[in-house]
Amino acid sequence: MSLSTSLADDSSIRAEKYECAIDFDAITALDVHTHVEVDGCGHRALDDDLMAASAQYFKSEADRASTVDSVAAHYRARNMAAIVFTVDAGSASGHPGNSVEDIARGAARNNDVLIPFGSVDPWGGKAAVKRAVHLIDDYGVRGFKFHPSMQGFEPNDRRFYPLYEAITEAGVPALFHTGQTGIGAGLPGGHGVKLRYSNPMLLDDIAADFPDLTIIMAHPAIPWADEQIAIATHKANVYIDLSGWSPKYFPPQLVRAANSYLRHKVLFGSDFPILQSDRWMSEFDKLEIRKEVRPLILKENALIALGFR
């Protein structure tokens, strides 16, 4: 049994159910995409090879050992709030994930700045559905993170529809990684990570079949930016977060869309600590985004997507 599993299953640890206490009028921005890399037992989200390769890919000089409390302190100091999560990819990677329950408990004690998302291994079948409901009912998670390439699944495969049904019934969003990933980049065979699973067109099926499910497509979905824009334009229940890429590298067609017809569908996300929020904000300030659109991207659109407005 892994340390994180032991932590999650320890009946002596009382579940502190998350209740949001963020003053949304007071904060300047809401980052919808941040990672907790290390849980309370010191267990990391990625194995050593993937951690090293992703650090090299992103040229990251910052501390990657982010805990739920360090993420909270980072955003509290900046008068911002953040969604926190990890990815449960044990079946595909062979590496037990860090504890989702630990993240939810940490968010509960930092509920002035953090919002917890859950993660379940989609290959868990009925157990995955049961665990998703448990995370919602007993821990108060406000959404779920999926990474199809890391988790090794085609998200529109109907075998996973019972999981989406449970999430839809709970009224919380599902955030899916889309596009290229730095996880496994530069390693032989990409460490087995397959990019095609993160083609946003696979999410179009889910958006059509679950019109009441809010879907957030994470990252500018390079090399499928046009497909991503088309889906967000066509499906009222689909949003795009801008994490994982420095704003100066955003596809120009995405910037144009965010400035106009997608101004209510685009969300601020950094990918902290992989991409530092300070760098993202600094480069976003230089982007040619209309003054009236900036507050929509930085906070208001996310509040609607998350059901707080």
Side-chain angles (χ1 to χ4, degrees), residues 30-35 71 81-85 113-117 175 216 306:
L30 173 54
D31 188 336
V32 304
H33 198 116
T34 76
H35 293 265
V71 175
I83 291 173
V84 286
F85 48 66
V113 290
L114 298 184
I115 300 169
F117 270 27
L175 186 151
I216 302 172
L306 295 170

Side-chain angles (χ1 to χ4, degrees), residues 283-300:
E283 294 187 7
F284 183 72
D285 286 343
K286 301 170 186 174
L287 207 60
E288 293 185 2
I289 297 292
R290 295 173 182 169
K291 182 179 179 180
E292 65 272 21
V293 173
R294 288 181 178 274
L296 300 178
I297 294 175
L298 291 177
K299 181 172 68 172
E300 296 303 324

Side-chain angles (χ1 to χ4, degrees), residues 30-53:
L30 173 54
D31 188 336
V32 304
H33 198 116
T34 76
H35 293 265
V36 173
E37 300 282 1
V38 183
D39 66 24
C41 284
H43 188 75
R44 289 180 175 267
L46 301 174
D47 64 40
D48 292 342
D49 289 340
L50 286 178
M51 183 68 76

Side-chain angles (χ1 to χ4, degrees), residues 37-227:
E37 300 282 1
V38 183
D39 66 24
C41 284
H43 188 75
R44 289 180 175 267
L46 301 174
D47 64 40
D48 292 342
D49 289 340
L50 286 178
M51 183 68 76
S54 64
Q56 182 176 357
Y57 176 84
F58 287 104
K59 298 179 173 59
S60 176
E61 297 178 355
D63 180 14
R64 288 287 301 278
S66 59
T67 65
V68 67
D69 291 317
S70 69
V71 175
H74 178 90
Y75 284 89
R76 189 178 289 116
R78 289 156 178 78
N79 193 32
M80 296 162 62
I83 291 173
V84 286
F85 48 66
T86 187
V87 178
D88 186 344
S91 293
S93 70
H95 178 77
N98 53 336
S99 173
V100 177
E101 289 83 356
D102 186 53
I103 292 171
R105 282 191 292 267
R109 66 176 175 267
N110 291 287
N111 66 347
D112 60 316
V113 290
L114 298 184
I115 300 169
F117 270 27
S119 181
V120 296
D121 188 332
W123 291 105
K126 292 181 180 179
V129 176
K130 183 178 179 180
R131 184 162 187 245
V133 173
H134 169 61
L135 289 170
I136 295 165
D137 290 348
D138 297 335
Y139 285 87
V141 301
R142 297 299 299 256
F144 284 84
K145 166 65 186 293
F146 295 96
H147 195 308
S149 292
M150 277 189 68
Q151 293 174 313
F153 78 110
E154 292 181 326
N156 63 343
D157 188 321
R158 288 184 173 270
R159 285 179 292 179
F160 308 113
Y161 272 31
L163 185 53
Y164 307 145
E165 289 169 0
I167 295 171
T168 303
E169 184 176 347
V172 299
L175 186 151
F176 289 85
H177 173 95
T178 62
Q180 184 178 342
T181 179
I183 304 301
L187 295 177
H191 209 62
V193 175
K194 297 177 181 178
L195 299 181
R196 69 179 178 87
Y197 291 147
S198 293
N199 186 325
M201 270 301 174
L202 300 178
L203 302 180
D204 187 63
D205 293 348
I206 303 170
D209 293 340
F210 294 90
D212 295 325
L213 174 63
T214 296
I215 294 173
I216 302 172
M217 296 185 288
H219 319 304
I222 295 168
W224 301 293
D226 290 332
E227 288 92 331

